[in-house]
Amino acid sequence: MKLAELLAILDPALAQRIAQGAYEEVAAVLADRGEHLHAAVLWETTWDFEGACAAYLRANALLDALRCALSSGNATLADDAIAAITAGPVATRREAESLLRQRGQSGLLASLLSAPDADPAARSEALAGAGDLLGAAKSLTDAGRYDEALHRLRPLDHERSPLAHLELAASLHWKLGDAERAARLAQEALRRGASKSLNSHVLAPSLVALGHGLAADIARRRDPQDDGATPATSAPQRGRYLVQGVAPHPFVGRALLAVDTIEHREVEIHDLLSENGQTIHDSAEAVEVVRGFIETALAASELRHPAFRPVLWGDASAGMLILERGSTTTLRSLIRPPGLLQDLLRVKSMMLFMVRGLAAAHDRGLVHGALFPSLIVFDPAERPLLSPFGLHRLSGIVATRTGSLDELLSLTAPEVKAGGTPTPASDVFSLGRILAALCLGHIAEEMSALPDEIGALVTGMTLEDPAARPSTRQVLAQLASASNSTRRVIVSPRPTPSLGVPAMATPSEVSPPSPLPHVVAFAHESWSDDELEMLCSENHGFMQPILDRQARRFIIAAWPEQCAHIHATPDLDGAAARTFFEALEQLPDPLIFALRTRMAHPSIVQTPAGDWMLALDKLLCRGPEEPRKAAKVRS
């Protein structure tokens, strides 16, 4: 409101007083009457920005209040305005963001973006603009975006970087699976006086992962009890497992974080029949329910599909299940506004990876029954891993442990909510809702905002009638078709150098541009067009992802730095080898022939999770005669 507009609506006596210059006096009168908006206009006219801001706040004119607070230079008033806007409508927040960006107020912008539904990347950007790099990195860390958080802290200098930066960077490297870098940074931070808890939280597990169990034990002993960590000497030993703490989200009962002192890897021990050291589910019915779950989980694990979270051991009679420890990031962390509609390749890649695993399970008569994003973790290569099969069997013991309430209500198929037994069709229903949630950024039943190709697929997958839904194999075919013969691996978007592959292309060479590290490979003249077409149409998780193709020119995702080419003759009888060759045999015969005649051990890469993958950046550039000198590959 402008002064002229105010004068037009005021009673003549007050308007006359204003004409005589009694702005403050009239403003006080209006404020006493509760006409705070009118009072604010008068105070702002006399450049009393503090009084105007306070009045605007009382009138709920939040943007005007923020504008006056900025003009006054009063930090307290600015904080009050930001707090009110943060709790207000989303549209007002968006306008306030624009105003703060125009004024260059990065610190206040960061405060505004602290709302739970705010974009963590935008908040991080604002904090970085205000000079708070540590806060910017922590904002991304809290959102599970570890690689981006690490990028905020770079460049790191062991001698010059702030101690807090080194501590956070060590933790981030550990979360990202870089045990060697995590250990080096943790050691440097401890040398400079970091909290001794870094010993047990980062240094010790990193040393275990690197095969230095004795050094890890020594590191744990340096962690004093008054620093909030449990001393290593008091950690109980469950046979070969050294217990480190309690896992935050048990399926039922309790779950412990531990280190396998023989295999030197981190695990989760799920004690399904007890909690806090006491047996809580001792009835014959509960024991039978747990037995059914463990038997289902073990049966699915025998498929050894890379999309399944590995089950290392299970004892149905004892109600005990041991899993590889999952990452702290879950698929649920990706379901946030504004969604991933701008990154559909990533969504389709994650869904293809999970659907392929479910299709293999459904072919064997196995049903998952509890597909909830909060239980789907990521492996070190950032691929989504399905939780153990059969978790729905535990719902009779503790229903709320198998997912948050909104997931249970929205992602469970209607026939299961009505008391029916989960089927492959109910798994398809849950997958459809997960696909929609990833795209839209929230779990909801409204699908109108989805693109046509995704909307049609989701609609079919979530039909009320289970018999009318597509099978997982049909979903797989539709997703692959919707991907336009391109694939994408879920890896960290940092400029990771690939291993022995052609040089990185410049941005002008890549069309369309990809946010992932990539390499360009040209198919050898011996590859036929049909063979190349078959290669692109296959979406197996054991192949290096193709991001784009232009005739015989391929843009392929670069390998994460934790991957390694297999140059020596590997263990062909190992579990990873068996899974790899079983997957290879599922390809069309002409494509199998094209790959085998070009395959050598450097064409196989081992991921941080131990899986084998085909290095297409090697195979595409090679003719059938070139691998003759390489070690013989299993036929």
Side-chain angles (χ1 to χ4, degrees):
M1 178 182 290
K2 297 181 179 179
L3 180 61
E5 296 172 342
L6 176 61
L7 291 173
I9 62 174
L10 283 179
D11 60 72
L14 290 178
Q16 180 65 29
R17 300 270 292 279
I18 292 173
Q20 295 171 353
Y23 290 90
E24 292 86 350
E25 181 182 340
V26 174
V29 171
L30 293 173
D32 289 340
R33 291 181 181 178
E35 299 178 33
H36 299 296
L37 181 60
H38 299 161
V41 172
L42 290 177
W43 273 318
E44 186 177 359
T45 302
T46 62
W47 287 30
D48 182 359
F49 295 113
E50 293 187 358
C53 176
Y56 277 132
L57 283 174
R58 286 192 288 271
N60 204 35
L62 303 182
L63 288 174
D64 290 320
L66 177 60
R67 179 172 48 77
C68 288
L70 296 177
S71 298
S72 72
N74 187 317
T76 301
L77 282 178
D79 289 340
D80 292 343
I82 291 295
I85 292 172
T86 301
V90 174
T92 304
R93 271 188 275 161
R94 298 290 178 264
E95 293 184 59
E97 287 178 32
S98 177
L99 173 62
L100 292 172
R101 286 194 174 93
Q102 292 174 5
R103 299 286 186 93
Q105 295 287 340
S106 298
L108 290 175
L109 180 58
S111 297
L112 179 63
L113 292 171
S114 63
D117 60 346
D119 181 12
R123 172 171 166 75
S124 175
E125 190 71 33
L127 286 168
D132 185 3
L133 293 181
L134 183 63
K138 286 182 176 178
S139 175
L140 292 167
T141 301
D142 293 341
R145 298 163 74 159
Y146 304 133
D147 192 83
E148 296 172 61
L150 194 58
H151 183 72
R152 283 290 182 200
L153 298 174
R154 290 171 177 159
L156 279 171
D157 186 306
H158 281 214
E159 297 297 329
R160 298 178 183 175
S161 293
L163 176 59
H165 287 210
L166 291 182
E167 288 187 82
L168 181 57
S171 176
L172 289 170
H173 274 292
W174 171 242
K175 292 177 185 296
L176 288 167
D178 188 348
E180 182 175 352
R181 184 69 173 156
R184 291 183 183 277
L185 286 171
Q187 286 175 323
E188 178 61 24
L190 288 162
R191 185 187 68 79
R192 290 174 52 183
S195 167
K196 293 294 189 272
S197 63
L198 200 63
N199 277 299
S200 59
H201 296 157
V202 176
L203 182 56
S206 297
L207 292 172
V208 169
L210 294 170
H212 304 300
L214 179 59
D217 288 339
I218 294 173
R220 289 191 187 94
R221 294 190 186 101
R222 294 174 181 166
D223 189 351
Q225 190 169 2
D226 61 2
D227 204 16
T230 302
T233 54
S234 65
Q237 191 86 25
R238 296 183 69 98
R240 62 190 280 180
Y241 300 103
L242 181 68
V243 177
Q244 295 179 314
V246 178
H249 303 297
F251 305 134
V252 168
R254 66 171 179 169
L256 303 173
L257 301 177
V259 172
D260 185 335
T261 58
I262 296 178
E263 297 291 338
H264 299 293
R265 59 181 169 189
E266 293 188 313
V267 299
E268 287 182 12
I269 302 174
H270 287 263
D271 191 354
L272 305 171
L273 293 173
S274 66
E275 190 168 350
N276 299 325
Q278 297 181 350
T279 300
I280 57 173
H281 305 300
D282 56 357
S283 68
E285 182 181 3
V287 171
E288 193 59 33
V289 164
V290 169
R291 180 188 298 275
F293 161 55
I294 291 180
E295 289 176 351
T296 304
L298 290 173
S301 183
E302 288 177 0
L303 297 180
R304 306 193 66 83
H305 195 282
F308 300 164
R309 188 173 176 186
V311 178
L312 304 178
W313 180 81
D315 186 339
S317 60
M320 194 78 67
L321 195 70
I322 297 181
L323 311 175
E324 280 191 5
R325 192 181 301 187
S327 68
T328 57
T329 305
T330 66
L331 194 67
R332 183 61 188 267
S333 68
L334 300 183
I335 301 175
R336 61 160 61 90
L340 298 176
L341 282 175
Q342 301 303 315
D343 201 359
L344 281 179
L345 272 178
R346 184 184 187 190
V347 173
K348 292 170 185 174
S349 176
M350 288 190 291
M351 294 301 300
L352 277 166
F353 189 70
M354 293 187 290
V355 174
R356 192 171 292 280
L358 274 178
H362 289 173
D363 289 346
R364 300 289 184 91
L366 295 170
V367 177
H368 191 283
L371 291 169
F372 300 130
S374 60
L375 298 180
I376 298 174
V377 301
F378 291 93
D379 70 3
E382 299 286 330
R383 300 180 299 181
L385 300 179
L386 299 178
S387 56
F389 279 60
L391 272 174
H392 63 280
R393 297 176 181 272
L394 303 182
S395 60
I397 300 178
V398 183
T400 57
R401 288 287 180 86
T402 57
S404 60
L405 183 60
D406 58 339
E407 291 180 350
L408 282 168
L409 294 177
S410 299
L411 305 184
T412 302
E415 66 273 14
V416 177
K417 287 193 286 189
T421 301
T423 64
S426 59
D427 280 350
V428 168
F429 181 94
S430 299
L431 280 175
R433 286 288 173 84
I434 290 174
L435 173 56
L438 286 169
C439 292
L440 300 177
H442 60 278
I443 297 176
E445 299 182 12
E446 176 55 48
M447 307 300 173
S448 60
L450 291 171
D452 291 343
E453 59 175 358
I454 298 297
L457 177 57
V458 170
T459 299
M461 295 173 71
T462 56
L463 289 172
E464 192 78 14
D465 181 6
R469 298 171 200 153
S471 68
T472 43
R473 289 293 176 190
Q474 292 171 322
V475 172
L476 195 60
Q478 292 179 60
L479 273 174
S481 174
S483 297
N484 297 318
S485 299
T486 60
R487 295 184 290 120
R488 177 174 178 173
V489 72
I490 309 304
V491 297
S492 303
R494 58 186 174 192
T496 303
S498 55
L499 303 172
V501 294
M504 294 274 290
T506 61
S508 61
E509 293 176 307
V510 181
S511 177
S514 169
L516 291 175
H518 57 270
V519 294
V520 177
F522 291 88
H524 189 274
E525 60 183 9
S526 62
W527 283 88
S528 70
D529 290 340
D530 288 342
E531 289 171 340
L532 294 177
E533 194 62 37
M534 281 189 288
L535 184 67
C536 290
S537 65
E538 291 297 330
N539 242 312
H540 280 277
F542 71 91
M543 287 186 184
Q544 184 181 9
I546 299 171
L547 303 179
D548 191 26
R549 175 194 174 191
Q550 295 175 339
R552 305 184 72 80
R553 180 174 177 272
F554 287 77
I555 298 172
I556 308 173
W559 296 107
E561 61 187 17
Q562 297 91 354
C563 293
H565 283 294
I566 300 176
H567 290 277
T569 301
D571 177 14
L572 295 179
D573 294 324
R578 291 196 300 272
T579 301
F580 174 82
F581 287 110
E582 286 173 3
L584 190 64
E585 290 166 2
Q586 298 175 17
L587 299 175
D589 290 340
L591 183 56
I592 293 177
F593 179 79
L595 293 172
R596 287 191 183 280
T597 55
R598 294 168 171 83
M599 194 184 298
H601 293 315
S603 300
I604 303 173
V605 167
Q606 190 167 33
T607 71
D611 299 325
W612 285 15
M613 294 181 70
L614 278 178
L616 296 185
D617 50 13
K618 294 281 189 181
L619 291 169
L620 280 169
C621 303
R622 182 180 289 154
E625 74 285 352
E626 294 182 41
R628 289 177 181 173
K629 297 181 181 180
K632 183 180 180 181
V633 177
R634 170 180 170 178
S635 60

